[in-house]
Amino acid sequence: METPVALTIAGSDPSGGAGLQADLKTFHRFGVYGEAVVTLITVQNTQGVRRVEVMSPELVTEQIRAVVQDIPPKAAKTGALGNLAVTCAVTEAVAEAAATFGFPLVVDPVMAGSSGGVFMDKQALHAFTAKLLPRAFLLTPNLDEASALTGLAVRDPASVIEAAEKLRDMGAANVLVKGGHLEGDAIDVLLTSTGRRIQFRASRIETRHTHGTGCTYSAAITAGLARGQDLIQAIRNAKAFITAAIRANPGLGAGSGPLNHFADF
Ligand code: PXL
């Protein structure tokens, strides 16, 4: 089999639990060769984010062009983008690359870290919604992100469905609203481009160690797509992986620690 390749365009978390570090570990766990373009650098550990420094847009564009023309990915994802200039640069570079190489793009609308840090400022939100969201093969918001993108108060199963429909109307081909912050079971709702609605359910695991769950989940889906799985199969597998990875967390750090990216599932 040809080596599957996936690209992440995301921020650096030097503690290794979230951001592009989580993405690369996840790609590797799925047998996928990973490429990583850096959009911003954070200073953080499991206790919180202390500083965020966004790269220049030209630096991000050049990174994307350099890797994509040499080792084209079979699937790509975006994570934290930081500001308006980088959001626009990523949109343009990804559009250019996807037009040539035709890979699906998973867009994780990262806005804030679970323990602080602004990963998408106010000016970026508008450009993100207008330009990058409509290029998403899959958009993966949590409840807060779905609320910020739609203006709806997304907090129960009915509003999750309403938000998913609105996000599809806004241009995302498929939308997965993640219910990890709902009461009870962690139920995610996928609304597909053909109008199918599918639930992915896992029982809640009581732990403070969930740092990087969103990044790891969207990276696992991207890895599945890079391996040629269909979307539903990729999400089902990814959900099983993050659930196992949370359950087997290594208990590292004094704050909200990382998952276990070696977990069997
Ligand atoms: O989980 C969102 C996220 C994305 N990107 C970076 C992060 C985090 C959360 O901490 O650090 C770089």
Side-chain angles (χ1 to χ4, degrees), residues 11-13 18-20 40 42 44 49 80 110 112-114 119 211-215:
S12 164
D13 168 8
L20 68 88
L40 57 84
T42 69
Q44 67 175 305
V49 178
V110 176
S114 38
F119 297 141
H211 181 70
T213 302
C215 309

Side-chain angles (χ1 to χ4, degrees), residues 16-107:
L20 68 88
Q21 288 82 355
D23 294 343
L24 287 176
K25 290 174 190 183
T26 305
F27 292 163
H28 190 83
R29 177 68 185 79
F30 280 77
V32 170
Y33 178 83
E35 299 181 298
V37 163
V38 188
T39 55
L40 57 84
I41 288 178
T42 69
V43 176
Q44 67 175 305
N45 58 27
T46 65
Q47 295 169 281
V49 178
R50 299 177 185 177
R51 183 168 166 186
V52 177
E53 191 136 334
V54 184
M55 301 292 101
S56 80
E58 298 78 24
L59 189 56
V60 176
T61 302
E62 285 178 40
Q63 290 178 76
I64 295 172
R65 286 192 178 144
V67 299
V68 159
Q69 56 153 267
D70 187 36
I71 307 178
K74 287 280 187 293
K77 67 160 274 191
T78 61
L81 301 175
N83 62 24
L84 175 64
V86 168
T87 301
C88 294
V90 166
T91 303
E92 282 159 30
V94 160
E96 180 185 289
T100 313
F101 301 105
F103 51 79
L105 182 67
V106 175
V107 175

Side-chain angles (χ1 to χ4, degrees), residues 125-142:
L125 178 61
H126 179 72
F128 177 89
T129 307
K131 297 182 179 197
L132 188 56
L133 187 152
R135 300 202 171 272
F137 171 68
L138 177 68
L139 183 74
T140 61
N142 63 24

